[in-house]
Amino acid sequence: MGVLIDALPNPLLVLDGEDHIHLANSAAEDFFQVGKTALLRAKFTDLMPLASPAINAIAEARLSGGVVNEYAISAGTPRYGSERNVDLQAAIVHEQPRFVLVMLLERSMAHKIDRQLTHRNAARSVSGMAAMLAHEIKNPLAGIRGAAQLLEPTLSGEDRPLARLICEETDRIRDLVDRMEVFSDERPPEREPVNIHVVLERVKALAIAGMTQSIHIREEYDPSLPPVMGSRNQLIQVFINLVKNAVEAIEGSGSGGEIQLSTAFRPGIRLSIAASGERVTLPLEVCVKDTGPGVPADLRPHLFDPFITTKPNGRGLGLALVAKIVRDHGGIIECEPHDGGTTFRVLLPMLRQAPQTQPEETKA
């Protein structure tokens, strides 16, 4: 067992009931830059910065008996390897419930979340460009189209197709600008409690209606999932784009396949908002999994950037819009490859119930 644990590439610790290090692998020695003997004399709190969320994660894992994830936290101290940005996963050892297994994953999910949260300046640049295009291009386009329409009746038969071509091309550019205008809308969505399963059923019906070949859509839903606080129409837009991409990927492969829609409750998933430092819980997980050819590895880091696409005739705005809507809802989206396909995972906050205030007792 010790050989297997030492073979793991990620730092792994086992804590006893008083949070002393009971076991550590070789990757943990490298991460904290001390030998195993020194680690086994330390407590977990010695390895973490002051008031680290990791301490609460250990306590929550013991209390819940489940798996708790903390994303984008610091681990290490000046004495133990210096501070670095990591994910942390904590779970009790069911055979020995007083022990907690802790694994650190450096720059994995933390890097993805940081990328989505810190690239808002880039998104604002796209928003500014969209607003500029709408103002500076659409008005001249209307004049060009109007002039072409006026010229068309006066032209000879051979030249009339050129006037129609001008009208068609100006309409195409106008449609592209209209699509980009969506990115300039920074107003928060109008929110209400939304049953995510009703959204997914609507998406499934729309996807089936637009298929050119039979693709099985399988559902694995958690029926106890609480509502999402969001815009029903915008959430439909998010998942219809993801399912449509999955359908096109499978149809393009020409070998058939399957799409899986799944929901789950992940109470241990939290992230830190860079601007405020607030830690937000994202327990609602919705996945769209397909058996298509997958996304090329070199495109994955840029998949949600505007104008990035794998489609020959694509404009690269669909997933950028999806990322914007998910961000506006306070969530995150990630793309993960798997054997024989791709999974898009959306993590969303659930509806927060306002605390009920007790009526004040009146004095006689």
Side-chain angles (χ1 to χ4, degrees):
M1 181 62 71
V3 174
L4 291 175
I5 290 174
D6 274 339
L8 293 173
N10 298 310
L12 183 143
L13 304 169
V14 176
L15 314 182
D16 65 16
E18 296 180 349
D19 288 347
H20 285 97
I21 310 298
H22 180 76
L23 185 148
N25 67 351
S26 299
E29 293 182 77
D30 295 338
F31 183 87
F32 293 108
Q33 297 178 14
V34 294
K36 193 170 295 185
T37 303
L39 278 176
L40 296 181
R41 290 199 299 263
K43 291 189 69 173
F44 184 66
T45 50
D46 299 332
L47 310 179
M48 296 291 127
L50 189 65
S52 170
I55 311 301
N56 292 333
I58 303 303
E60 188 175 337
R62 284 201 172 96
L63 185 64
S64 66
V67 178
V68 175
N69 296 280
E70 282 284 355
Y71 296 137
I73 68 171
S74 293
T77 66
R79 180 182 176 186
Y80 292 98
S82 74
E83 290 190 26
R84 276 172 282 176
N85 204 30
V86 299
D87 306 342
L88 178 143
Q89 187 174 80
I92 65 166
V93 180
H94 290 285
E95 293 77 8
Q96 298 287 338
R98 75 187 188 94
F99 289 103
V100 175
L101 183 70
V102 179
M103 181 171 287
L104 305 178
L105 302 115
E106 192 173 6
R107 293 184 61 80
S108 55
M109 174 69 84
H111 180 63
K112 295 176 184 177
I113 294 173
D114 181 67
R115 176 180 172 81
Q116 294 189 50
L117 293 179
T118 59
H119 279 196
R120 292 189 178 182
N121 287 336
R124 291 191 183 99
S125 297
V126 174
S127 300
M129 183 175 63
M132 181 274 293
L133 285 172
H135 182 265
E136 299 294 337
I137 296 180
K138 287 178 73 175
N139 288 340
L141 281 179
I144 293 170
R145 194 185 195 284
Q149 285 179 314
L150 290 174
L151 284 173
E152 184 177 358
T154 66
L155 297 175
S156 63
E158 295 180 356
D159 293 333
R160 283 186 181 181
L162 296 177
R164 285 196 293 272
L165 178 62
I166 293 172
C167 292
E168 290 169 1
E169 287 301 295
T170 53
D171 288 343
R172 185 179 64 83
I173 297 171
R174 183 200 60 205
D175 291 343
L176 176 59
V177 174
D178 285 342
R179 293 188 66 185
M180 289 197 61
E181 273 191 292
V182 177
F183 293 95
S184 66
D185 187 358
E186 292 295 330
R187 294 172 299 176
E190 295 183 5
R191 303 190 184 189
E192 60 181 351
V194 177
N195 185 330
I196 199 66
H197 296 131
V198 173
V199 168
L200 294 177
E201 285 301 314
R202 176 68 179 275
V203 167
K204 179 182 176 182
L206 292 172
I208 291 174
M211 288 181 187
T212 60
Q213 68 183 58
S214 179
I215 297 174
H216 178 59
I217 298 182
R218 184 160 57 93
E219 299 157 308
E220 290 187 6
Y221 295 159
D222 179 351
S224 66
L225 221 58
V228 178
M229 194 63 179
S231 164
R232 179 176 178 271
N233 289 337
Q234 288 192 6
L235 290 172
I236 289 175
Q237 182 69 53
V238 165
F239 293 106
I240 194 62
N241 278 14
L242 294 179
V243 172
K244 180 183 175 185
N245 283 350
V247 169
E248 290 176 352
I250 293 172
E251 290 180 343
S253 67
S255 57
E258 179 184 86
I259 297 170
Q260 177 184 309
L261 304 178
S262 64
T263 61
F265 191 74
R266 308 292 187 196
I269 297 179
R270 292 192 291 267
L271 66 91
S272 178
I273 297 177
S276 64
E278 179 188 1
R279 298 198 70 78
V280 179
T281 302
L282 301 176
L284 306 187
E285 178 188 85
V286 185
C287 293
V288 178
K289 182 178 180 180
D290 67 63
T291 56
V295 178
D298 59 329
L299 286 185
R300 279 185 222 128
H302 313 287
L303 198 57
F304 300 105
D305 294 343
F307 309 114
I308 301 297
T309 182
T310 60
K311 303 173 186 176
N313 298 318
R315 295 188 175 94
L317 296 177
L319 286 178
L321 177 59
V322 164
K324 179 187 184 300
I325 294 174
V326 172
R327 185 199 73 201
D328 290 347
H329 280 73
I332 62 172
I333 181 171
E334 57 189 38
C335 173
E336 295 181 350
H338 61 82
D339 291 339
T342 305
T343 298
F344 283 91
R345 177 177 287 105
V346 178
L347 301 174
L348 294 167
M350 67 179 181
L351 171 64
R352 293 183 180 178
Q353 299 289 348
Q356 295 183 350
T357 56
Q358 298 292 334
E360 296 184 3
E361 294 183 2
T362 56
K363 295 182 179 180

